[in-house]
């Protein structure tokens, strides 16, 4: 329901949505476009799985990535801002984290940050997910869509 709810709330406001994904690898965008009528709201998505692509495609500060790594709340926010900029959308969603099974940049599996940036708000949430790789990714999708519904519904 989160995807449908997001699209309905965004359409009511006349807003569009863009997505930047890392650990979810396109699952957020795919979940959105499964909803009939998504083309009226969804502008597109960027899968920036490799850390360097977060900088080159989304404009995340190289120094921030070098200092903190890709799994960071400020990186998540910058990715969401980049999604807005790159897609020309009103609302930017982003996911970054460690799906596992191994740690990344000293971050444990299951650590995820999701961010949503709208014309009037910017919110990032930290998740600590105790599931397998697929579960971590699915939880990240649900979390970012849920957060987006909260912000877009106002």
């Amino acid at each position: 329901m989160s995807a449908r709810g997001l699209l309905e709330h965004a359409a009511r406001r006349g807003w569009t949505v863009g997505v930047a994904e890392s650990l979810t690898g396109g699952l957020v965008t795919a979940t959105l476009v499964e909803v009939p009528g998504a083309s009226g709201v969804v502008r597109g998505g960027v899968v920036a799985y490799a850390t360097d692509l977060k900088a080159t495609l989304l404009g995340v500060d190289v120094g921030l990535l070098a200092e903190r790594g890709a799994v960071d709340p400020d990186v998540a926010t910058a990715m969401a801002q980049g999604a807005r900029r790159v897609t020309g959308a009103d609302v930017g969603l982003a996911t970054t984290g460690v799906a596992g099974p191994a740690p990344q940049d000293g971050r444990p599996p299951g650590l995820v940050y999701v961010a949503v940036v709208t014309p009037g708000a910017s919110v990032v949430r930290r998740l600590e997910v105790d599931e397998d790789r697929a579960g971590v990714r699915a939880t990240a999708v649900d979390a970012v869509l849920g957060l987006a519904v909260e912000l877009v519904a106002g």
Side-chain angles (χ1 to χ4, degrees):
M1 179 58 186
S2 290
R4 181 177 306 282
L6 172 57
L7 297 177
E8 288 172 358
H9 288 297
R12 276 192 212 108
R13 295 187 85 156
W15 285 356
T16 55
V17 174
V19 184
E21 303 184 61
S22 186
L23 84 150
T24 50
L27 289 175
V28 176
T29 305
T31 300
L32 288 170
V33 300
E34 284 177 3
V35 178
S39 62
V41 175
V42 177
R43 294 277 304 152
V46 174
V47 176
Y49 200 65
T51 299
D52 63 306
L53 292 181
K54 291 169 182 62
T56 57
L57 295 178
L58 297 170
V60 178
D61 182 81
V62 175
L64 176 64
L65 289 166
E67 180 183 327
R68 300 193 201 159
V71 183
D72 178 82
D74 292 334
V75 170
T77 300
M79 289 174 64
Q81 291 166 338
R84 287 182 73 202
R85 185 176 53 259
V86 168
T87 65
D90 300 290
V91 180
L93 282 62
T95 62
T96 187
V98 185
Q104 176 188 337
D105 297 332
R107 305 286 201 260
L111 177 61
V112 174
Y113 291 97
V114 298
V116 176
V117 176
T118 71
S122 177
V123 178
V124 63
R125 287 200 177 139
R126 176 187 172 113
L127 309 172
E128 294 181 25
V129 185
D130 186 20
E131 297 183 38
D132 64 7
R133 184 175 176 80
V136 171
R137 295 172 75 225
T139 299
V141 171
D142 291 344
V144 77
L145 291 175
L147 177 58
V149 168
E150 287 177 35
L151 294 178
V152 174

